[in-house]
Amino acid sequence: FYVMRTYAGSRFMTVFNAFYYSWSPYVADLIRESESMKFSARIALAPLIGILSMSEGLVSKLWSLNSEMAVVLGGVVASALIGIVYLLPLMTLGVMLSSRFRKLITRISRKVVIGTWLLCIITLVIGVLGFIEVATMIAASLLVLASLVGSSLGILRIALNDSE
């Protein structure tokens, strides 16, 4: 509801929808064919629904201050939580099963992660203020990915006692 009412949000949704609808009908067909797949999908999507609902609550509280900022902040929070719920367990498994993956995780500098995140924010602000559609679409999408990966990476590095 809120996302499409902002410039940044509607531009992000253009990119998201192009990605999502490129594969989701095929997955929906597979799920529709099996009761166990339906049950599994409901279980897997329950945290996502909760995260998006919580994020919507955050956006609604901040909406009157600045709608663009509210949607961007809500998106960053939602992305970070989605990363923690869905990506962190996979990354943890990767670290447990592969010493090469563990080395890769510990080599990724916090400065690179934070720098990427800040670059996305700055580009997004420029895109929104200048109504630069392509910059806004790319920056919003990369900000979501950076938040998703950065939150998981940060927690995993803390768990690995990796001080930098």
Side-chain angles (χ1 to χ4, degrees), residues 3 8-9 11-13 15-16 19 48 51-52 55 71-84 87 113 116-121 124 135-152:
V3 173
R11 296 317 174 273
F12 168 75
M13 288 307 299
V15 175
F16 177 81
F19 165 74
L48 177 64
I51 289 167
L52 294 176
S55 180
V71 166
V72 170
L73 184 59
V76 167
V77 169
S79 299
L81 292 173
I82 291 167
I84 291 167
L87 186 58
V113 173
T116 301
W117 193 82
L118 288 173
L119 181 62
C120 290
I121 290 283
L124 183 59
T136 304
M137 292 167 78
I138 292 170
S141 300
L142 291 178
L143 180 60
V144 164
L145 293 174
S147 298
L148 219 152
V149 172
S151 63
S152 302

Side-chain angles (χ1 to χ4, degrees), residues 83 87-114 148-164:
L87 186 58
L88 180 60
L90 296 174
M91 290 173 78
T92 302
L93 185 62
V95 164
M96 292 169 54
L97 296 176
S98 170
S99 61
R100 291 175 70 182
F101 189 73
R102 182 185 181 111
K103 287 177 187 172
L104 173 66
I105 293 296
T106 57
R107 284 186 184 154
I108 298 172
S109 167
R110 274 187 217 114
K111 293 175 185 171
V112 169
V113 173
I114 292 169
L148 219 152
V149 172
S151 63
S152 302
L153 186 60
I155 289 175
L156 188 55
R157 287 186 60 159
I158 289 168
L160 293 172
N161 277 329
D162 184 34
S163 58
E164 183 183 324

Side-chain angles (χ1 to χ4, degrees), residues 35-45:
E35 285 304 315
S36 62
M37 290 289 285
K38 288 179 188 177
F39 178 76
S40 298
R42 284 188 198 102
I43 297 297
L45 292 175

Side-chain angles (χ1 to χ4, degrees), residues 51-74:
I51 289 167
L52 294 176
S53 177
M54 189 253 357
S55 180
E56 181 184 25
L58 173 64
V59 171
S60 72
K61 299 276 188 250
L62 299 174
W63 187 261
S64 63
L65 298 174
N66 183 301
S67 58
E68 291 288 342
M69 184 226 29
V71 166
V72 170
L73 184 59

